[in-house]
Amino acid sequence: MASPLLASSEANESAGPAFASSAQQYPQMALLDFFFPGFSMFAGAVQKYLHIDLNLYLPLLLLTGALTVVWNYASSYLWEQLEAHFMSVVDIRTDDEIYNIIMAWVARQKFSQGSRRFVVNTNLNSRSYRLWNWSDYDEDDEVEELREEESAKKKKALAYTPSFGSHYFWYRGRLLLFRRSSKEKQNSFMLVSQTEEISILCFGRNPWILKELLMEARQMYMKKDAQKTLIYRGTMKPGSMESTWQRCMARANRPFSTVILNEKVKKDLITDVADYLDPATQRWYSLRGIPYRRGYLLHGPPGTGKSSLSLALAGYFKLRIYIVSLSSITSNEESLASLFAELPRRCVVLLEDIDTAGLTHTREGNEPRPQNQSTDDSNSTVPGQLTTGNGNTNNSGGRLSLSGLLNILDGVASQEGRVLIMTTNHLEKLDAALIRPGRVDMIIEFGLADEGMVSSIFRAIFARLDGDDAPDNATQLPLDEDARQRLEEEKAKKRAAETARVNALAEEFAAKIPEHEFSPAELQGFLLKHKRDAEVAVAKAEEFIEKTRKDRKEKQLKEAEENIGRQEGASGEGE
């Protein structure tokens, strides 16, 4: 392989005597050709056609290059020293909710909206959060646009944030720096994942201005969620096996009046929770050495409103909901204990369908097995039970055991101040230790719909509400005060007549529906199909009853056939 120096000299000789003489006269040209191949040819061409001898400017070029290298190194070193000794810096973690708070604030700032280099998003949540969250939805991320010929439609809003790099901006008379960078890393879960790093810097050793900025961003973010119920789920941190809480959505507060339940039971529940959350109650518990915890068990058939009550309760008391899935493959004592340790003092912890988590009757059946009993029974389970019920709580498979769950709920290291809500479809399958007094302080039964519940569901669907009608056009309203008053009176009469009509239809519909046969969810699903016409819903009530009964019978026959087939298959394997 020919060396660059030899190739350059051959090229110069073929180019002409001018290039050769130039290279001989200035030996440094050969050295430059070694580092910058073709430089001597370029210099010779400039000298031949433009009559400019670049060799005279060679020291200046070398000096400029040296100064550039020195400046790059010196400026980087000086900036590092300035940042280390004369600036305050706050680094924002992308795997924490503070990232979403800061980015929502930055997107509203003038320097972000006027930046020539920007990133456009329909969701400002962190990239690592979006990669690991399956239900990332926030109702405030949508805006309504009214059109002339169409009703209001929701569209995703576009958010503009500064691109990667450094961006200066003014905040309360102080010059600050917003720095955003991106890098790729490889982990054991994904081949390559892109992560962001953002920082905010200010000049001066006192970081008070940065803390005020963070507080302002937090208040703005919380104001957006003032009328919403925040829902969190337990998950794993990106790139690790460490458990953490991730916000999955924010839903509008559900009015407690929309929960179909006995009014006395709802009133007793609200009174009990309000008394528990009272600061005076916490002091009372502390002075008497009683653990400050409260637990509720909601049980009943599917579709009776257990989860709806939990959401309405959290919205009524402005608490966040933390949902724990005990049936997840990652649920073990260590991860669950880590999640409970991160809970705030005032929150709602929801354990849904606890009877499906494989913890039913695990402390029963500890009597020794007779020696003549067949070992084939060791794999038998109680219907609806995921564990064998042999009393083995050692959790050799790494899954969560009943004893581990009980220690987390009310053990020595358990969290206090939270409202624990457990739901189940089968109360009889739960271990007595899980629902004993002290762990569960109130048990609420959700039954199938009776006549009063059916009537309430009907009125909730068809009653006219203030937001159902389009807002009045100010230009079409009469200017006369008396005319406006007459218009309001006419509207009130129409509203009263409509309410009376809906109440009459509700009583008629409730009379047609048998009591304690259908769940509120089934009735609501039927009524929603006819939400524009209450008379049609009442007329088709008998059809709904017959169809639902027929579907249930077909489902029961299918399940019976499947059970018979499984039993025949098991007996064939035994033979």
Side-chain angles (χ1 to χ4, degrees), residues 254 259-261 298 301-311 446-447 520-521:
R254 176 167 181 171
V259 178
I260 308 301
L261 188 65
L298 315 181
T304 52
K306 299 184 292 295
S307 299
S308 301
L309 176 64
S310 305
L311 180 64
F446 286 74

Side-chain angles (χ1 to χ4, degrees), residues 130-243:
R130 287 179 57 81
L131 285 173
W132 290 87
N133 198 329
W134 61 91
S135 182
D136 181 21
Y137 173 79
D138 194 331
E139 294 177 356
D140 252 6
D141 289 337
E142 297 183 346
V143 296
E144 294 186 356
E145 294 183 356
L146 294 176
R147 296 183 177 180
E148 295 181 358
E149 299 180 355
E150 298 178 357
S151 60
K153 291 186 176 181
K154 290 186 175 182
K155 288 189 175 182
K156 279 286 187 179
L158 297 180
Y160 303 98
T161 54
S163 182
F164 302 105
S166 298
H167 307 266
Y168 291 91
F169 66 98
W170 292 93
Y171 177 74
R172 298 187 181 181
R174 296 284 300 272
L175 181 63
L176 303 184
L177 173 63
F178 175 80
R179 186 167 60 196
R180 185 178 189 180
S181 60
S182 175
K183 66 178 182 179
E184 294 183 350
K185 68 177 183 178
Q186 187 171 359
N187 53 49
S188 58
F189 294 93
M190 289 177 283
L191 294 178
V192 177
S193 63
Q194 187 177 9
T195 60
E196 291 185 9
E197 295 180 354
I198 62 174
S199 304
I200 302 179
L201 304 85
C202 72
F203 293 92
R205 298 175 62 89
N206 190 346
W208 65 271
I209 190 66
L210 298 179
K211 295 180 180 179
E212 287 191 1
L213 187 151
L214 295 175
M215 290 299 299
E216 178 182 323
R218 182 172 179 267
Q219 291 175 358
M220 181 185 300
Y221 197 77
M222 294 179 64
K223 183 179 180 180
K224 182 189 69 171
D225 297 326
Q227 302 300 323
K228 295 183 179 296
T229 302
L230 306 185
I231 302 176
Y232 292 77
R233 283 187 179 274
T235 183
M236 312 300 293
K237 287 185 178 180
S240 69
M241 295 298 295
E242 186 177 353
S243 301

Side-chain angles (χ1 to χ4, degrees), residues 276-290:
Y276 170 72
L277 296 176
D278 191 342
T281 303
Q282 182 178 357
R283 292 193 299 269
W284 188 91
Y285 273 77
S286 177
L287 292 174
R288 288 157 180 80
I290 302 175

